[in-house]
Amino acid sequence: MLFFLLSAFFFVFSTAVPWSASPFNPSSIPLAVRTPYLSTWLPQGSGTPLNGAWPQHWTGQTVGWSGFIKVDGTPYSFLGEPAIPASFAKATQKSMEFTSTQSVFVMSAGAVDLTITFLSPVEPNDLSKQSFPFAYMALSAASTDGNSYTVQLYSDISAEWVSGDSSLPVNWTTSTGADTLVHQVQLQTQTPFVETSDRILQGSVFYSTTVASGVTYQTGEDVVVRSQFVNSSVLLNTKDTNFRAISNAWPVFAFAHDLGKVTGTPSNPVVVSVGHVRDPVVSYIVAGGKLQDRSSYFWNQFSDVTDAITSFLQEYGDTLSRNSKFDAQVQSDASAISADYAAIVALSIRQTLGATEITISKNDDGSWNTSDVLVFMKEISSDGNVNTVDVIFPAYPLLLYVNPLLAKYLLAGLFEYQATGQYPNKFSVHDLGADYPKAIGHNAGDDEAMPVEESGNMLIMALSYAQKSGDNSQLMTYASLLDQWTQFLISDSLIPESQISTDDFAGKLTNQTNLAIKGIVGIKAMSVIAGILGDSEKSSNYSSTADSYIGRWQSLAINPDQSHLTLSYGNSSSWGLAYNLYADKLLKLNLFPDSVYQMQTNWYRSVQQPYGVALDTRHTYTKSDWQIWTAAIMTDTNARDMFISAVKKTASNGLSSQPFADWYEARDGTPEGFRARPVVGGHLALVR
Ligand SMILES: *[C@@H]1O[C@H](CO)[C@@H](O)[C@H](O)[C@H]1NC(C)=O
Ligand SMILES: *[C@@H]1O[C@H](CO)[C@@H](O)[C@H](O)[C@H]1NC(C)=O
Ligand SMILES: *[C@@H]1O[C@H](CO)[C@@H](O)[C@H](O)[C@H]1NC(C)=O
Ligand SMILES: *[C@@H]1O[C@H](CO)[C@@H](O)[C@H](O)[C@H]1NC(C)=O
Ligand SMILES: *[C@@H]1O[C@H](CO)[C@@H](O)[C@H](O)[C@H]1NC(C)=O
Ligand SMILES: *[C@@H]1O[C@H](CO)[C@@H](O)[C@H](O)[C@H]1NC(C)=O
């Protein structure tokens, strides 16, 4: 009987979603995710189809994006949850598939299947393309019964793409150029570099498509424009110029495409693009406290945003094949670990890169300085800091994997700022600014202090970039800062005083084993760096220091019964994820003896919970990034796969409808406070 009940339960559970999902149904599906402000997701939860909810910004705010298809005159909705006076049916979702760059839905509308491809390009080897804050939606229809049908397609966006505060007034234009139709929407009152509720009060949203016969447009009140299409299959090419608040008779910005007859052969894709552009993007502190305006990298190739949009639309085919190739490479690399692992990796890539922006500055004569590249990352959802060192650190495996140059350019601003001498502390700064996108530094030295954490992180990241790329220039330029942080670690990392680590929500603690690991690895990293820079005396001095610390650390950190590392020295009932050991493996230092790895492998196996291993003994929650880092140091594949399946199980448990939460409860998989954070780049720790 019990067996029967259990299997009935699992039967119901597994059929809760009536469509096929590959590789699985995540809590939220990326639709258009390129920057902290262009970040639109389908809140799928335990099974909401594409036309069962409005898309959301990562903050959870509604983002209006609706779509209809008409098949021989019969209207169906395929995207969003529009409510209009005219009647229509809902298309039925048949499948959902996501890769690293795409989310692809097939929806059936009568005898026609519509394939909707949301492509958020990942272009790590082309800074111009990677910095272009746009995504595609491509629509292709085919009949399923061999007959032909007339098909028209419709989609629109609302002004909610501009702001989550729908009381704000917006204005808009539609430009009908020779090549491209462009709807542009923006706040009437612009405030550079200022956010409310994590949305920027600056810039414009663009919704665009290529000019062709059978394409019509319209702007106006949501119910009016949508019913116009549903009733008449065509839009009126009219512009509403009554500028008003986002929620005042909700203005929408629409296109319709008449495909004519559609047969069993998939129609050529109808491509629309959506983007959020602002200029400048970041305010950045340079020497003497001066603030420099920085712009998106792509501006060095385009002086006009319409030209950039036109080429983006025209390049859809090439972009799709390039991105599909990238997807296949990631899939092949990650599948070498396991199918579950490949699934987690595919879900993590857009989330991580969607927190970043690539920038350049201007020369005095107004031309672009493309030798001056800085990448910025928003600490999404936890506190919105700029280039938080201990958020870049977990994401580092992804950066090293996709293109180590992105890693270098993320560190560059932190190095540059501290080299100006404006930051007063002897350890590394925590971040470049409290509020994205203001990279204004912390000249008072009152940033969230994580002395051992950030100093160790900078040393580890700088060396791993050089090792991966063969480029030692950053090590040479910033040798004295690196040395300064090493001096700090020599005096403060073996016996770390009371402080927080990156897991600041867990609180302060003295003598943290895992922090000491980071500090000692940092010292050893500097010995390698000194060797690279030709200072063999310093190299051997730091190397012997690190080696001697390892011996002392073992006697302090290993529990007397040799069963595990303690969380803090001398506390036998404590333990935690010693994920900083991953840095020893990443840098190929072989600083810690194999016996430590062996011991931890056995230990974690003995303390696993249904959704993984707790972060430490102070609480029952855990972190997905640190679990995958820990997976990467396990001495056998069973223990490694235990962590991987725990993270996969969490990502697919349907307990939330928010972009993946790296921080969650290990006993039951419920998310804690974080969402959509770039730290999920740490899930690539096994494909580095
Ligand atoms: C819309 O508002 C912006 C910002 O205030 C202004 O620069 C622009 O000229 C306005 N556009 C229209 C079409 O009114
Ligand atoms: C569409 O048709 C419905 C009735 O079917 C009508 O109420 C509505 O006003 C029409 N809207 C437009 C814009 O044609
Ligand atoms: C461009 O930027 C680089 C790197 O910051 C700098 O060294 C160089 O002087 C800049 N070039 C000009 C012409 O300002
Ligand atoms: C930290 O560890 C050192 C070395 O065992 C010890 O001397 C010191 O008392 C510890 N500090 C605290 C607060 O437990
Ligand atoms: C490293 O150099 C410092 C300063 O010269 C010296 O005090 C220390 O003993 C040296 N350490 C080792 C392990 O050689
Ligand atoms: C030892 O660790 C446990 C678990 O983290 C904690 O509850 C306890 O307070 C710690 N004991 C001391 C003396 O710090």
Side-chain angles (χ1 to χ4, degrees):
M1 189 60 183
L2 181 62
F3 172 76
F4 173 77
L5 284 174
L6 278 176
S7 48
F9 172 78
F10 283 115
F11 178 74
V12 169
F13 189 75
S14 65
T15 54
V17 173
W19 55 84
S20 72
S22 173
F24 66 89
N25 273 298
S27 56
S28 191
I29 302 173
L31 299 181
V33 178
R34 298 297 308 275
T35 73
Y37 309 116
L38 186 76
S39 185
T40 296
W41 304 69
L42 175 67
Q44 179 179 246
S46 57
T48 302
L50 187 61
N51 56 0
W54 284 115
Q56 292 180 353
H57 186 259
W58 69 255
T59 49
Q61 296 160 340
T62 294
V63 173
W65 201 358
S66 81
F68 292 98
I69 177 172
K70 292 187 76 171
V71 177
D72 273 3
T74 305
Y76 302 84
S77 71
F78 67 84
L79 170 62
E81 274 210 298
I84 56 172
S87 69
F88 59 89
K90 282 191 175 194
T92 304
Q93 186 163 315
K94 285 172 100 169
S95 66
M96 184 283 297
E97 180 187 5
F98 70 83
T99 63
S100 295
T101 66
Q102 294 158 55
S103 301
V104 182
F105 298 78
V106 176
M107 314 278 291
S108 82
V112 166
D113 274 3
L114 179 65
T115 300
I116 306 131
T117 301
F118 294 93
L119 168 60
S120 290
V122 171
E123 306 273 11
N125 298 310
D126 185 325
L127 299 182
S128 191
K129 287 185 162 58
Q130 180 60 32
S131 76
F132 190 56
F134 281 74
Y136 299 98
M137 177 174 72
L139 308 168
S140 173
S143 80
T144 53
D145 63 2
N147 296 324
S148 67
Y149 296 87
T150 58
V151 170
Q152 293 89 21
L153 299 170
Y154 168 96
S155 72
D156 70 45
I157 62 164
S158 74
E160 291 160 297
W161 287 74
V162 169
S163 174
D165 178 351
S166 64
S167 70
L168 296 178
V170 288
N171 68 22
W172 55 85
T173 52
T174 300
S175 66
T176 53
D179 302 315
T180 313
L181 286 170
V182 181
H183 294 303
Q184 175 176 351
V185 197
Q186 55 268 315
L187 292 175
Q188 287 187 25
T189 303
Q190 299 265 320
T191 317
F193 313 124
V194 175
E195 294 180 336
T196 53
S197 307
D198 285 300
R199 307 284 294 277
I200 194 86
L201 298 171
Q202 180 193 2
S204 304
V205 166
F206 296 87
Y207 198 56
S208 313
T209 196
T210 299
V211 170
S213 69
V215 180
T216 51
Y217 69 88
Q218 192 168 332
T219 58
E221 183 176 1
D222 57 348
V223 289
V224 173
V225 178
R226 290 166 187 163
S227 328
Q228 165 62 35
F229 175 80
V230 166
N231 290 357
S232 314
S233 313
V234 68
L235 295 174
L236 299 176
N237 292 339
T238 54
K239 302 174 188 178
D240 179 344
T241 53
N242 173 28
F243 302 141
R244 56 192 185 268
I246 293 168
S247 62
N248 179 359
W250 301 91
V252 298
F253 311 92
F255 296 117
H257 292 80
D258 187 349
L259 303 190
K261 288 280 181 200
V262 162
T263 65
T265 310
S267 61
N268 284 334
V270 159
V271 181
V272 297
S273 72
V274 62
H276 185 297
V277 178
R278 61 198 206 284
D279 185 52
V281 291
V282 168
S283 175
Y284 170 67
I285 186 166
V286 293
K290 226 179 123 224
L291 295 179
Q292 178 190 68
D293 284 350
R294 301 189 62 88
S295 298
S296 293
Y297 191 97
F298 77 88
W299 285 112
N300 85 86
Q301 309 228 328
F302 298 95
S303 53
D304 178 74
V305 73
T306 305
D307 293 347
I309 293 170
T310 298
S311 97
F312 186 73
L313 287 169
Q314 286 170 355
E315 286 172 4
Y316 173 72
D318 288 346
T319 307
L320 180 66
S321 48
R322 193 169 52 246
N323 277 266
S324 297
K325 226 170 119 188
F326 174 84
D327 289 341
Q329 184 66 53
V330 174
Q331 176 68 21
S332 148
D333 293 346
S335 300
I337 304 293
S338 69
D340 276 358
Y341 183 66
I344 298 166
V345 165
L347 186 63
S348 304
I349 290 181
R350 279 170 290 179
Q351 179 164 326
T352 304
L353 293 174
T356 65
E357 300 191 275
I358 305 173
T359 71
I360 47 176
S361 63
K362 270 184 178 155
N363 297 314
D364 291 340
D365 66 0
S367 60
W368 297 110
N369 185 350
T370 50
S371 340
D372 179 23
V373 184
L374 297 178
V375 177
F376 293 91
M377 178 185 274
K378 173 165 168 160
E379 187 183 338
I380 283 184
S381 115
S382 29
D383 62 13
N385 291 173
V386 185
N387 285 25
T388 308
V389 176
D390 62 286
V391 168
I392 298 173
F393 184 68
Y396 220 62
L398 180 145
L399 301 164
L400 294 178
Y401 175 77
V402 301
N403 183 357
L405 263 185
L406 295 178
K408 179 188 192 181
Y409 295 142
L410 264 163
L411 299 187
L414 291 155
F415 274 121
E416 267 181 26
Y417 166 60
Q418 291 176 90
T420 64
Q422 295 172 95
Y423 182 66
N425 299 324
K426 60 188 181 219
F427 46 81
S428 165
V429 75
H430 170 267
D431 62 77
L432 265 184
D435 303 297
Y436 199 88
K438 286 186 284 203
I440 58 175
H442 290 282
N443 290 359
D446 56 359
D447 48 317
E448 183 181 10
M450 295 185 184
V452 172
E453 174 77 49
E454 311 301 28
S455 302
N457 288 344
M458 288 301 288
L459 284 154
I460 293 162
M461 291 193 287
L463 177 58
S464 65
Y465 165 71
Q467 286 181 337
K468 183 86 186 187
S469 66
D471 167 13
N472 297 326
S473 60
Q474 210 165 41
L475 302 180
M476 285 191 264
T477 309
Y478 300 108
S480 75
L481 267 180
L482 292 164
D483 198 53
Q484 173 190 321
W485 296 329
T486 308
Q487 292 299 330
F488 172 75
L489 292 177
I490 288 171
S491 60
D492 286 70
S493 72
L494 178 60
I495 312 289
E497 62 182 34
S498 176
Q499 63 193 287
I500 48 174
S501 75
T502 181
D503 307 306
D504 52 0
F505 44 82
K508 284 188 170 185
L509 194 62
T510 309
N511 285 339
Q512 295 183 57
T513 296
N514 194 40
L515 261 188
I517 294 170
K518 178 164 293 176
I520 301 167
V521 172
I523 298 165
K524 187 76 170 191
M526 188 63 201
S527 85
V528 176
I529 293 169
I532 290 171
L533 300 180
D535 190 339
S536 56
E537 203 178 317
K538 183 177 277 179
S539 178
S540 67
N541 180 294
Y542 287 169
S543 184
S544 336
T545 303
D547 292 346
S548 74
Y549 281 11
I550 291 296
R552 291 170 62 193
W553 173 87
Q554 289 187 74
S555 63
L556 293 166
I558 297 177
N559 201 49
D561 70 1
Q562 308 283 310
S563 63
H564 64 277
L565 296 172
T566 57
L567 173 66
S568 57
Y569 299 161
N571 185 339
S572 290
S573 56
S574 73
W575 54 265
L577 292 177
Y579 53 80
N580 284 326
L581 287 168
Y582 174 71
D584 183 34
K585 296 292 181 196
L586 176 69
L587 300 175
K588 302 181 176 67
L589 300 174
N590 298 318
L591 195 48
F592 293 84
D594 291 345
S595 56
V596 167
Y597 292 96
Q598 188 60 59
M599 177 177 71
Q600 290 307 96
T601 301
N602 294 333
W603 180 255
Y604 294 134
R605 216 186 263 121
S606 75
V607 292
Q608 61 175 300
Q609 294 283 327
Y611 284 83
V613 175
L615 179 63
D616 62 50
T617 41
R618 289 173 290 178
H619 304 92
T620 54
Y621 51 61
T622 190
K623 293 281 274 75
S624 65
D625 48 350
W626 300 140
Q627 288 197 89
I628 298 296
W629 277 46
T630 309
I633 58 164
M634 293 292 93
T635 55
D636 68 56
T637 50
N638 285 342
R640 180 195 77 187
D641 293 344
M642 166 189 84
F643 284 105
I644 293 169
S645 57
V647 172
K648 159 74 190 318
K649 192 173 157 192
T650 306
S652 56
N653 68 14
L655 293 177
S656 93
S657 56
Q658 63 186 35
F660 187 70
D662 52 293
W663 182 26
Y664 65 88
E665 176 55 58
R667 291 175 304 187
D668 61 17
T670 53
E672 298 282 347
F674 297 165
R675 53 171 66 191
R677 298 203 324 145
V679 302
V680 299
H683 296 163
L684 275 75
L686 287 148
V687 291
R688 65 180 187 273

